[in-house]
Amino acid sequence: MENIFQFIDVLPEVNLDRNDTEQQIFTKYFNTINQNMLKEILNLKPEIMKNIELSEKCRMKGNLHYRAKNYTVAMTFYVIGLRQAPRDSTEYALTIANRSAECLVDIERVFKSEYPKDMLYKIYMRQAKCYLELKCYGKASKAAQNAKTSFETAKVTLNKKVSELIAEKIKDIERCLENHLDTDTTVNDEEQPSFPVLTAGENPSFAYASNAVAMRKNKQSGRHVVASVDIKKGDVLFVEEPYSTDVLLFSETYFKYCSECFTSSLTCIPCTSCFMLVFCSDECRQLHWDTRHRWECAAVRRSVISKELSLALGVLFRVSHTGFNTIIPDARVYGNKTDNYPYVNQLMTHKNNIPQETYTGYVKAAACLVVYLIHFTDYFEWLYARYNRPAGSREELHRMVGGLLLKFLSQNGTNKDIINNTFVARADKYDIGLKRNQLACALYVSSSALNHACLPNTVKRSVCIL
């Protein structure tokens, strides 16, 4: 995927003094560029919009694979087709309906969509069959009755042969219900993984860390983790939620994972504006939009985003919601689960060790991002109206945000980690070992203090908790 780094060659060179702060470096550079020129360059990137014709083709391929009982492949085509369908279109409703054959969640989505009313009997029949499989006979009976009522209204539009066939299928469902009480069996959800338990309990002075480790700092090593007790194989030293992640665009199977909580699902729903991000639920989609995607979506549609840029933007958007507090109330404590930004702010950039070409690219990329946020989103209008925004004019906020983005880009190079999906690889029906599918990059503030000497002796695992 192309991204903003492709534009840096047209920007003026950067005269760096790395003894300056990031905000000083950014401000000096930002004052030298032609913002209108950069705006026009970004504007020339065509937006890749949803494609209803492609959506229909994918739905048809999904139907072919479903009839051939290639269910996983069929679901994949349905997800791809759904991503391409405009949210309020009939095609979106039809794709959700086709995918709903074995999914009660999708069935409920169909009822809320623009699905043709004269075809709803099909959806009620599918709902009844699903409830029969789950032994929820009361719900199955109600769905069968709804199917019968809906069919009575719709059958005037059907030819006699089709009408008789559908009537017989509804009777088959009713016959299946005859031998069962009009009650529902309690359905137990699949057991979800739980967070691992920290060995020796949680460290009160080191957020997300075990009592088996402690944070130390000296001139030679900077901040680093040391063992407080003898550590055994299998001990859990950190259980930490990421402070920020990049958007899920860079894994080959990104459309199977929720961009908010990383849940794996074959029944994801897409962003209503772009066709790239998918979500496991309406709640995750709304949360992701409210907290960050409202400002990233246009960049995704224009294909000007990358892992590095998205992770830096994610940090910016999170601190924009929580406030730009950098005060650490107690120097003896590291990390805060309520607001971890003061400790994000302390992460080392190692900017003097970053190659000149790379750091120059960060400065130019930060400038591009600020121009993008000014002209293609309402981010700065939103930020300027916040009660806890930093003081200053709009122009001063532009330069402050640019300096922060430069800092985050530099920090993430040495502090980011990977969210992986670990699975058992198979060949010829034999397990051949564990493989990892990289899903996203993430910033973990506490566990980033594990230095290179620790990493060969530790294992990091990603856990999704619903």
Side-chain angles (χ1 to χ4, degrees):
M1 177 179 287
E2 297 177 329
N3 57 68
I4 280 174
F5 285 114
Q6 69 186 297
F7 303 132
I8 63 176
D9 290 339
V10 304
L11 296 177
E13 289 306 310
V14 183
N15 295 317
L16 294 176
D17 181 354
R18 300 202 193 191
N19 291 319
D20 289 341
T21 66
E22 284 81 6
Q23 187 166 350
Q24 290 171 332
I25 292 171
F26 178 84
T27 297
K28 289 178 182 178
Y29 181 70
F30 200 62
N31 290 338
T32 69
I33 68 170
N34 185 332
Q35 293 186 42
N36 287 327
M37 178 196 72
L38 188 50
K39 172 190 171 184
E40 290 305 314
I41 291 173
L42 288 169
N43 203 33
L44 287 173
K45 282 291 294 179
E47 290 190 275
I48 304 174
M49 306 304 289
K50 293 177 182 286
N51 186 325
I52 198 165
E53 292 181 359
L54 181 57
S55 175
E56 183 179 7
K57 289 179 180 178
C58 290
R59 178 170 61 85
M60 294 302 182
K61 287 183 178 179
N63 290 345
L64 288 174
H65 283 285
Y66 190 86
R67 293 187 192 105
K69 298 185 179 182
N70 299 324
Y71 299 125
T72 301
V73 177
M75 289 294 182
T76 300
F77 273 110
Y78 290 146
V79 172
I80 296 172
L82 203 60
R83 288 164 50 216
Q84 293 287 352
R87 172 64 181 86
D88 294 326
S89 67
T90 301
E91 182 59 36
Y92 183 95
L94 290 172
T95 305
I96 283 279
N98 287 168
R99 200 179 67 175
S100 70
E102 298 185 27
C103 178
L104 288 168
V105 173
D106 273 346
I107 286 171
E108 292 301 323
R109 289 170 180 160
V110 174
F111 293 141
K112 297 175 184 178
S113 73
E114 298 298 317
Y115 192 74
K117 303 300 181 185
D118 60 347
M119 296 170 61
L120 278 176
Y121 65 88
K122 294 183 178 181
I123 309 305
Y124 285 121
M125 288 169 66
R126 290 174 184 174
Q127 187 181 47
K129 289 178 180 178
C130 287
Y131 281 132
L132 274 172
E133 287 293 323
L134 295 172
K135 299 181 180 180
C136 295
Y137 302 117
K139 293 178 179 179
S141 178
K142 183 178 179 181
Q145 184 58 47
N146 287 337
K148 194 171 183 179
T149 302
S150 178
F151 174 64
E152 287 299 320
T153 304
K155 71 179 182 180
V156 294
T157 64
L158 303 173
N159 65 52
K160 183 178 179 181
K161 186 174 181 180
V162 172
S163 181
E164 290 176 350
L165 180 62
I166 294 169
E168 186 59 33
K169 288 183 176 180
I170 293 175
K171 287 181 180 179
D172 285 342
I173 296 172
E174 291 176 330
R175 280 192 283 268
C176 290
L177 287 164
E178 285 176 358
N179 298 324
H180 300 288
L181 295 174
D182 193 27
T183 57
D184 292 336
T185 301
T186 301
V187 180
N188 294 321
D189 293 332
E190 291 183 12
E191 184 178 349
Q192 297 293 333
S194 58
F195 279 132
V197 178
L198 286 167
T199 298
E202 187 171 358
N203 193 324
S205 60
F206 192 1
Y208 303 105
S210 158
N211 269 316
V213 296
M215 174 70 81
R216 295 286 184 268
K217 183 179 180 180
N218 57 42
K219 290 184 178 180
Q220 180 180 359
S221 303
R223 282 188 296 273
H224 57 283
V225 178
V226 298
S228 301
V229 298
D230 288 339
I231 295 174
K232 302 180 181 63
K233 180 179 179 180
D235 283 355
V236 179
L237 305 182
F238 289 89
V239 177
E240 183 173 9
E241 297 181 17
Y243 184 82
S244 177
T245 67
D246 64 36
V247 289
L248 256 178
L249 299 177
F250 309 102
S251 165
E252 292 180 359
T253 56
Y254 68 90
F255 57 85
K256 296 180 182 178
Y257 293 88
C258 177
S259 294
E260 174 62 28
C261 70
F262 300 98
T263 299
S264 173
S265 175
L266 286 173
T267 57
C268 284
I269 52 176
C271 168
T272 57
S273 297
C274 72
F275 68 90
M276 298 298 289
L277 272 64
V278 297
F279 303 92
C280 66
S281 66
D282 291 306
E283 291 75 18
C284 272
R285 179 168 63 183
Q286 191 63 50
L287 178 61
H288 201 73
W289 179 264
D290 291 342
T291 55
R292 65 181 290 178
H293 192 55
R294 58 187 286 192
W295 301 305
E296 280 183 308
C297 193
V300 171
R301 295 196 303 269
R302 283 182 164 82
S303 298
V304 293
I305 201 76
S306 71
K307 279 182 177 294
E308 297 94 331
L309 302 178
S310 178
L311 186 55
L313 284 172
V315 178
L316 173 68
F317 297 147
R318 176 158 183 177
V319 70
S320 298
H321 284 281
T322 60
F324 295 80
N325 174 40
T326 59
I327 298 173
I328 295 177
D330 187 346
R332 297 168 298 178
V333 175
Y334 188 83
N336 185 319
K337 290 185 176 182
T338 302
D339 181 8
N340 223 10
Y341 180 67
Y343 303 91
V344 172
N345 186 58
Q346 281 197 342
L347 292 175
M348 299 298 294
T349 64
H350 298 290
K351 65 181 180 182
N352 292 327
N353 298 326
I354 299 174
Q356 178 75 7
E357 183 179 358
T358 302
Y359 196 72
T360 297
Y362 288 164
V363 177
K364 293 181 177 182
C368 290
L369 287 175
V370 170
V371 171
Y372 162 76
L373 291 172
I374 292 171
H375 295 289
F376 296 90
T377 76
D378 68 346
Y379 168 74
F380 281 108
E381 286 76 10
W382 173 86
L383 180 63
Y384 197 73
R386 295 281 291 177
Y387 72 94
N388 58 353
R389 69 171 175 83
S393 66
R394 292 176 187 269
E395 288 71 23
E396 288 171 326
L397 284 181
H398 297 166
R399 285 152 180 77
M400 182 211 74
V401 166
L404 288 176
L405 285 169
L406 173 57
K407 184 175 185 176
F408 299 152
L409 284 166
S410 304
Q411 287 176 330
N412 292 342
T414 53
N415 293 292
K416 69 184 177 185
D417 214 323
I418 305 298
I419 296 177
N420 288 306
N421 173 35
T422 305
F423 59 95
V424 178
R426 300 179 65 85
D428 298 328
K429 299 183 180 180
Y430 294 97
D431 295 349
I432 59 175
L434 293 177
K435 293 191 69 175
R436 289 185 176 182
N437 178 32
Q438 180 176 324
L439 299 182
C441 290
L443 182 64
Y444 296 93
V445 181
S446 291
S447 58
S448 69
L450 284 172
N451 62 27
H452 296 292
C454 294
L455 291 179
N457 300 315
T458 60
V459 175
K460 295 184 178 180
R461 183 164 64 96
S462 304
V463 179
C464 173
I465 306 297
L466 298 179

